Amino acid sequence: MSVVFASRRAALLVAAAGFFLLTHTHAQAQWWKRAPVDFEECADAAEKAATKAEKTSALADCNAKFAGRRKAGGGYTYYDFLQDRTFDIAGPNPTPEEQKKIDEAYTGYLANQRRSNEAAQATARQQREQQEKQAQQFQQVALRTDVERVPVPVERPKVQQSVGQRPKGAPCTKGSFSCEWPRLSESLNELKKLFNPTPSKPAAKKG
């Protein structure tokens, strides 16, 4: 019986020693596989993923954990896509104070954008009004030019009246020269016919 107990005791000691060695080795492995301190270390670890899907998933985790990126001269930089600009930060992620400054800068950015939009709208409105004014002036000039091209009716020249001729339709004043002249002219013509009779044509000879 003593031999059996001795053998079991030795086996337990060997098993305990093996468990201790395995636990110590696993702890050392965990120490060497510490969590990455920034995005760059995280991305390097993600590059060693077995499959492309695991690599993509690991890189997405890196982006979610770390907002900053290493700078060549030391420190980190944070890119705010809403403002399309970068900010210098001390660590791999902005501190609360740094985040506050980034938010304040974004508020100023929005105010500048609003002023720029209002100025652009005012300029566009002025240009539109100027174009409308020029169009109205052009229409007025075109209308005036068309009116000048229409010929103005010219009054017909009056026929010069001959001496002693009474205008047609004018009243005849008794005893006036213009009223008596037509009758005197007719009397003179009759006297001329009396003193200068028209010679009669010779009768045609009979064959």
Side-chain angles (χ1 to χ4, degrees):
M1 293 292 293
S2 60
V3 175
V4 173
F5 281 118
S7 299
R8 289 186 63 184
R9 190 174 184 181
L12 288 173
L13 289 174
V14 171
F19 178 76
F20 174 77
L21 291 173
L22 289 174
T23 305
H24 182 68
T25 305
H26 182 69
Q28 286 184 335
Q30 289 295 324
W31 182 82
W32 283 107
K33 293 182 180 179
R34 62 182 176 81
V37 297
D38 55 16
F39 175 81
E40 284 70 22
E41 281 191 5
C42 186
D44 289 341
E47 289 291 338
K48 299 174 183 178
T51 63
K52 185 176 180 180
E54 292 177 354
K55 178 180 176 180
T56 303
S57 177
L59 286 174
D61 290 338
C62 294
N63 277 316
K65 290 178 181 178
F66 303 104
R69 300 292 184 268
R70 285 182 193 173
K71 292 173 61 177
Y76 294 86
T77 182
Y78 170 77
Y79 173 72
D80 187 359
F81 69 93
L82 294 175
Q83 306 179 57
D84 191 21
R85 60 170 294 191
T86 57
F87 297 86
D88 289 337
I89 56 178
N93 285 306
T95 63
E97 186 64 25
E98 290 170 340
Q99 189 63 50
K100 182 180 178 182
K101 291 181 179 179
I102 293 172
D103 294 340
E104 290 175 352
Y106 181 63
T107 302
Y109 169 81
L110 290 178
N112 291 333
Q113 287 292 103
R114 183 173 61 255
R115 285 192 294 268
S116 298
N117 291 336
E118 290 175 353
Q121 291 176 359
T123 301
R125 184 167 56 253
Q126 291 177 356
Q127 292 178 350
R128 185 169 59 252
E129 291 175 353
Q130 186 176 3
Q131 291 175 354
E132 291 176 354
K133 185 177 180 181
Q134 291 177 351
Q136 291 177 356
Q137 292 177 350
F138 178 78
Q139 291 178 355
Q140 291 176 358
V141 171
L143 291 174
R144 187 163 58 249
T145 303
D146 292 340
V147 171
E148 291 176 354
R149 288 176 180 175
V150 176
V152 179
V154 180
E155 185 180 359
R156 294 178 61 185
K158 296 180 180 180
V159 180
Q160 187 176 1
Q161 298 178 3
S162 59
V163 179
Q165 184 177 1
R166 180 172 56 86
K168 187 176 182 181
C172 179
T173 304
K174 190 175 181 180
S176 64
F177 178 76
S178 60
C179 188
E180 298 295 335
W181 172 252
R183 289 196 294 271
L184 293 174
S185 179
E186 292 178 0
S187 300
L188 289 174
N189 290 333
E190 291 177 357
L191 290 174
K192 286 180 181 180
K193 290 179 181 180
L194 290 175
F195 289 102
N196 297 314
T198 302
S200 58
K201 296 180 181 181
K205 293 181 180 181
K206 294 182 181 181

